[in-house]
Amino acid sequence: MFKRIAVLGALVLASLCPVLAAQAKYPARPVVLISPYQAGGTTETFARLIIDDVGTLLGQPIVIEQKPGAAGTIGARIVATSAADGYTLLANTSQHVMYDGMLTRLPFDPMKDFRPVGVLGSAPIILVTGRDSAYRSFEDVLAAGKTKTVTFASGAQGSLPHLTGERVAIQANLKMTHIPFSGTAPALTNVIGGHVDLLYSTAASVMQQIRGGQLRALAVSTKERMKELPDVPTIAEMGLPGFDVTAWYGVWAPKDTPAEVVDAFNKAMREASSTPAAHKRMEALSVTPNDMTADQFSQFAESERRTWLDVIKRANIQPVN
């Protein structure tokens, strides 16, 4: 009888071995990376800088799918409710960590229902104005904002460029009114046309217009000047010491995704970001590569969340439905 049990046990174990091996090998099939915005947007652009190389390193293609709507929450919800196996991931802007400060009816918890995987890259935010604007420098903006209301645009309510403008207004005690647009393109049109005074935007979205002379760059948000714009000062050096903001784009997995799966994808992201070819692609868009581990990204995301929820509170921005 004991011999029969031993034989049966061996047969069961043998039958499970292929299953266990398949589970251990990740990925065994293509991975879907959901971008919760329209095709061709900045999130997809950041992802495409390295994602093909990530797929090559992992041995499976990474397929980007757009699931836009509701400030990115439709796509995020799809990932939050997907199987926690690493085959459905989310690429999102830094707005992800502050969703619950901007929206009252979230179908998920932006931190508890997701597991941080890695950062695709980061970029400065640039303060620009139209070519014919009266604002010739950041000092002009500071002086004007003390005595009158200055308008500034961004591509979306609650976006990092929007909150960067709010943070400047708070720290410098300026009178500023935010004018949100549905995307950077209409915001650009209105600033170039002189209908709105200023625009805060990621570098990739405005460098072409700066180089073409349609926009004038007044300041950059990072602690160091941009190599591409060496004559444009940082906000910190113009009277707001310690000011340092970067727009970052991260990859997130469902909350119960195994650590080994997260680490495998993160490792491939960091390796893909470190190649000369990737650096060349990123440099063309003023993007900085990132080599955070998943644990480091988790700590960074929590820190960013605290910072920007505080800005939302101090700016008296009310969440919407």
Side-chain angles (χ1 to χ4, degrees), residues 20-67:
L20 294 173
Q23 289 177 341
K25 184 182 184 306
Y26 170 83
R29 63 178 190 271
V31 175
V32 173
L33 181 66
I34 288 181
S35 171
Y37 305 103
Q38 295 289 346
T42 311
T43 302
E44 181 184 348
T45 298
F46 268 69
R48 292 199 183 280
L49 289 170
I50 64 167
I51 214 65
D52 286 346
D53 293 342
V54 171
T56 299
L57 288 165
L58 290 174
Q60 291 288 343
I62 314 296
V63 181
I64 297 177
E65 291 186 2
Q66 285 79 28
K67 300 292 182 181

Side-chain angles (χ1 to χ4, degrees), residues 8-9 22 176 220 267:
L8 287 173
M176 303 194 81
V220 298
K267 180 182 178 182

Side-chain angles (χ1 to χ4, degrees), residues 111 114-119 248 250-253 257-270 290-302:
M111 305 305 285
F114 294 87
R115 185 163 188 168
V117 177
V119 178
W248 53 270
V251 173
W252 304 78
T257 303
E260 57 269 23
V261 170
V262 169
D263 290 342
F265 202 92
N266 173 274
K267 180 182 178 182
M269 286 178 65
R270 289 186 288 120
N290 190 282
D291 64 352
M292 286 188 206
T293 65
D295 286 342
Q296 289 170 335
F297 177 32
S298 179
Q299 295 171 20
F300 172 74
E302 288 288 353

Side-chain angles (χ1 to χ4, degrees), residues 41-262:
T42 311
T43 302
E44 181 184 348
T45 298
F46 268 69
R48 292 199 183 280
L49 289 170
I50 64 167
I51 214 65
D52 286 346
D53 293 342
V54 171
T56 299
L57 288 165
L58 290 174
Q60 291 288 343
I62 314 296
V63 181
I64 297 177
E65 291 186 2
Q66 285 79 28
K67 300 292 182 181
T73 60
I74 290 176
R77 182 183 184 183
I78 291 172
V79 176
T81 56
S82 293
D85 55 11
Y87 290 98
T88 305
L89 304 174
L90 174 70
N92 208 352
T93 70
S94 46
Q95 187 176 9
H96 183 91
V97 301
M98 55 189 101
Y99 269 141
D100 49 346
M102 303 300 300
L103 302 169
T104 57
R105 297 180 182 177
L106 274 178
F108 53 79
D109 185 299
M111 305 305 285
K112 294 180 181 179
D113 290 336
F114 294 87
R115 185 163 188 168
V117 177
V119 178
L120 293 162
S122 60
I125 291 172
I126 306 179
L127 174 62
V128 297
T129 191
R131 174 180 54 199
D132 300 323
S133 168
Y135 299 106
R136 314 299 296 181
S137 66
F138 189 66
E139 292 103 319
D140 289 345
V141 174
L142 293 177
K146 299 288 187 182
T147 60
K148 66 177 184 179
T149 299
V150 178
T151 58
F152 73 95
S154 76
Q157 176 80 6
S159 63
L160 195 65
H162 166 207
L163 296 181
T164 299
E166 298 287 2
R167 185 171 169 182
V168 168
I170 291 168
Q171 289 189 222
N173 194 27
L174 305 178
K175 299 176 181 178
M176 303 194 81
T177 298
H178 176 237
I179 311 295
F181 288 88
S182 297
T184 303
L188 275 170
T189 299
N190 278 270
V191 172
I192 291 172
H195 307 297
V196 182
D197 295 323
L198 309 168
L199 169 68
Y200 285 91
S201 176
T202 53
S205 298
V206 294
M207 284 301 295
Q208 181 179 348
Q209 290 80 4
I210 292 172
R211 292 179 178 129
Q214 295 170 289
L215 292 174
R216 182 184 306 116
L218 302 179
V220 298
S221 66
T222 44
K223 62 182 177 182
E224 296 179 354
R225 294 190 180 196
M226 290 177 59
K227 181 173 63 175
E228 300 89 340
L229 299 170
D231 296 328
V232 178
T234 67
I235 292 173
E237 67 186 87
M238 298 309 295
L240 279 72
F243 198 97
D244 183 19
V245 173
T246 56
W248 53 270
Y249 296 76
V251 173
W252 304 78
K255 63 178 179 179
D256 293 324
T257 303
E260 57 269 23
V261 170
V262 169

